[in-house]
Amino acid sequence: MKMIKITSRFLVVLVVAAILIAGCSGKIVDAKSTIADGQKVSKPNIIFVLLDDVSAKEFSIYGGRGINTPTFDKMAKEGVAFNTAYASPICGPTRANLITAKYAHGNKHYSHSNTPKTTLSEAHYTMGEAMSDAGYRTAWFGKQHHDRSLNPSDFGFDNYVICKQWLGHDGPSQGRTGPDGMYGGTWYWHPAILANGAGVPTTPNDFGPGIELDSLISFVSKPADEPFFAYWPTNLPHHEYDPQADKWYRPDVPAFDRDGEPTGERIPGSLKSNIEYMDMAMEKIIATLEETNQLDNTVIFMIGDNGTAGYGKGQMQNEVALRVPFIAYGPQHVVKREMSDVLVDMTDMLPTFLELADYSTPETRSMHGKSFASYLQGETFESRDWIASQLDEARWLRTQEWLLDGNGDLWFCGDESDEQMFQKVNVQSSEEYKLKKQEMQALLDQNIPKLN
């Protein structure tokens, strides 16, 4: 696997102010083993890993079977795993919500095709800009979904190593889009990789996520005065397209020995092998942080961008498209809570990063999300009453006990977190159910406007 040398520019902005974040408040969560002030550092490093096309149900911490994820299990056991974390039904709107901390009515990315003419970086205060202003050196690795004619530097990131076709790349193409499209080059074996504006030569034995992983490790290992913010939206476990066979397939992944060294062999592609590779990647990241004495001052997040293809992705019913795995882990910044019923969605991520960074700016006032940083740190926390999602005309609203789905159907969730256990309600069967649906619909209309 190739190592990419990352160059950094240093920007320090020292601002101490209160975070002003929009969002509904709900029940009070009592403090739990608050981290001692003497142990907590004001600006932790942050690593945010976004997995592609994977539901919560695939992971053992959510009841899944057959996929071995010891690293993610350890992170959940020693940190926080959220039972109900919402993305959007497909990846484009999810990433727009994440980068802007706004729902679709705020960023206008309702689906892959229903998008504004302006770029996210032109119209919004983006995640990269915000974290850079907060005093972080920033880097983006992997998939860039939006505004492909631009690069992550246009979103405020100092450095990047992404999957992108470039003039001179001699590897195969997925053949589904032009040079700037996501499918212009391959993501996995013999990948098209662009690093800080320069093409990276690769061979048929080079694995794209491996190059991204090595580059991320190089970035976080680099000595610097500023904390780092590393964003890795990996393509795994998304399928890749074979234009010759005209089919989608899951890529083979490299095999490693017990010491974590590559054997030169490949493990056949499957959802299992793809997720287990990412678990191994997270193990390597954590080991690097331990070796460089940075783990205690780092918070790591892992989340999915939508439900698993073939199960939930793009579906309207229930929350099968929306419920994704979400873990937060950091020995000196995240108290041990294990499984949590606190509701969170993708708009909450950036506000949380900024509160962890102890940074605020007037631009944060237009964000829709609510920070849960105080909850991670064991402090008393007022949780959200609801979370939401949207895909064009379809809208979802979830409270602790009730769900109004993209088809307009009402579901009783009760104290269950597994969507397969929810009960679909016939609102015509009782006046109580009819009133509950009206209440949920009013709350939805008040906060998530219809597409117009």
Side-chain angles (χ1 to χ4, degrees):
M1 293 186 289
K2 297 185 181 298
M3 293 287 290
I4 307 299
K5 184 179 180 180
I6 305 294
T7 59
S8 299
R9 67 176 173 85
F10 301 134
L11 175 63
V12 179
V13 181
L14 301 177
V15 179
V16 179
I19 292 286
L20 298 172
I21 300 293
C24 270
S25 298
K27 67 178 182 180
I28 302 295
V29 180
D30 292 333
K32 178 180 180 180
S33 302
T34 305
I35 296 166
D37 290 339
Q39 294 177 311
K40 188 168 61 179
V41 182
S42 59
K43 284 186 184 292
N45 302 310
I46 298 173
I47 298 175
F48 187 76
V49 178
L50 181 67
L51 303 187
D52 204 323
D53 286 5
V54 62
S55 298
K57 76 176 188 69
E58 313 298 352
F59 291 78
S60 58
I61 58 174
Y62 297 104
R65 296 182 180 180
I67 299 178
N68 300 313
T69 53
T71 309
F72 291 137
D73 293 351
K74 173 184 170 66
M75 291 169 61
K77 184 177 181 180
E78 298 179 3
V80 184
F82 293 85
N83 273 318
T84 306
Y86 265 22
S88 290
I90 57 176
C91 53
T94 287
R95 292 156 200 272
N97 295 350
L98 170 64
I99 289 170
T100 65
K102 298 175 183 178
Y103 292 114
H105 66 275
N107 60 48
K108 306 305 179 186
H109 282 259
Y110 291 97
S111 63
H112 289 330
S113 57
N114 194 348
T115 61
K117 293 181 180 179
T118 56
T119 66
L120 285 172
S121 59
E122 289 174 326
H124 303 280
Y125 187 56
T126 64
M127 182 169 66
E129 294 170 324
M131 297 311 295
S132 182
D133 288 348
Y136 283 70
R137 56 190 184 95
T138 58
W140 181 327
F141 306 92
K143 181 177 180 180
Q144 180 189 324
H145 187 101
H146 294 294
D147 306 326
R148 295 279 299 185
S149 63
L150 304 176
N151 288 318
S153 54
D154 297 295
F155 290 85
F157 284 84
D158 303 324
N159 310 284
Y160 60 89
V161 179
I162 59 172
C163 302
K164 190 170 185 178
Q165 186 68 285
W166 53 278
L167 186 63
H169 173 60
D170 59 358
S173 170
Q174 296 184 63
R176 294 179 62 84
T177 55
D180 286 335
M182 286 193 300
Y183 303 99
T186 53
W187 304 329
Y188 300 121
W189 296 101
H190 205 167
I193 300 289
L194 190 71
N196 294 332
V200 178
T202 60
T203 75
N205 293 320
D206 289 318
F207 187 58
I211 294 174
E212 296 156 16
L213 172 62
D214 286 347
S215 301
L216 188 155
I217 287 174
S218 175
F219 172 74
V220 303
S221 301
K222 184 180 179 65
D225 294 329
E226 302 91 343
F228 60 73
F229 176 77
Y231 172 46
W232 187 15
T234 177
N235 288 295
L236 286 172
H238 195 294
H239 292 78
E240 191 167 61
Y241 183 71
D242 180 353
Q244 304 302 321
D246 188 24
K247 68 175 184 180
W248 293 92
Y249 67 95
R250 294 196 188 277
D252 298 344
V253 298
F256 292 84
D257 61 24
R258 292 184 178 181
D259 295 324
E261 297 299 322
T263 65
E265 302 296 319
R266 298 185 186 183
I267 302 173
S270 65
L271 182 63
K272 172 181 168 65
S273 69
N274 286 192
I275 293 176
E276 290 180 354
Y277 178 88
M278 287 307 303
D279 189 81
M280 179 280 302
M282 185 63 76
E283 181 183 20
K284 283 182 171 290
I285 291 169
I286 291 174
T288 298
L289 295 172
E290 288 179 321
E291 291 167 4
T292 56
N293 297 315
Q294 297 184 96
L295 183 59
D296 283 351
N297 194 34
T298 301
V299 182
I300 304 173
F301 298 90
M302 183 281 285
I303 196 168
D305 75 335
N306 51 247
T308 304
Y311 168 73
K313 183 177 182 179
Q315 301 300 310
M316 300 296 107
Q317 77 277 6
N318 205 308
E319 60 183 26
V320 296
L322 313 180
R323 182 172 173 252
V324 292
F326 181 38
I327 302 170
Y329 167 77
Q332 296 301 330
H333 289 274
V334 179
V335 300
K336 178 182 177 180
R337 292 184 184 270
E338 300 189 48
M339 304 307 296
S340 169
D341 290 326
V342 167
L343 303 175
V344 295
D345 69 33
M346 205 62 70
T347 66
D348 300 327
M349 303 302 146
L350 178 52
T352 299
F353 302 158
L354 292 174
E355 186 171 2
L356 288 172
D358 196 19
Y359 179 77
S360 181
T361 180
E363 285 90 344
T364 63
R365 299 176 186 177
S366 64
M367 296 178 182
H368 297 151
K370 174 183 174 64
S371 170
F372 52 89
S374 59
Y375 178 72
L376 297 180
Q377 295 173 326
E379 300 166 3
T380 300
F381 171 72
E382 190 171 4
S383 65
R384 297 179 59 144
D385 281 330
W386 56 268
I387 51 177
S389 189
Q390 185 166 9
L391 180 64
D392 287 331
E393 293 84 2
R395 295 175 296 160
W396 287 256
L397 187 100
R398 170 71 195 269
T399 65
Q400 284 288 352
E401 291 191 323
W402 296 92
L403 164 66
L404 190 62
D405 74 8
N407 290 325
D409 292 326
L410 182 66
W411 298 75
F412 178 64
C413 312
D415 58 1
E416 294 285 351
S417 57
D418 180 356
E419 64 269 16
Q420 298 297 327
M421 302 299 293
F422 297 168
Q423 299 176 32
K424 188 176 179 180
V425 174
N426 179 0
V427 297
Q428 304 303 322
S429 65
S430 77
E431 187 66 21
E432 180 183 357
Y433 290 155
K434 184 183 294 185
L435 291 175
K436 174 55 67 173
K437 182 174 181 180
Q438 291 174 356
E439 175 190 327
M440 292 286 287
Q441 189 68 54
L443 187 60
L444 176 64
D445 292 341
Q446 177 184 354
N447 293 284
I448 310 294
K450 294 179 180 179
L451 172 66
N452 51 37

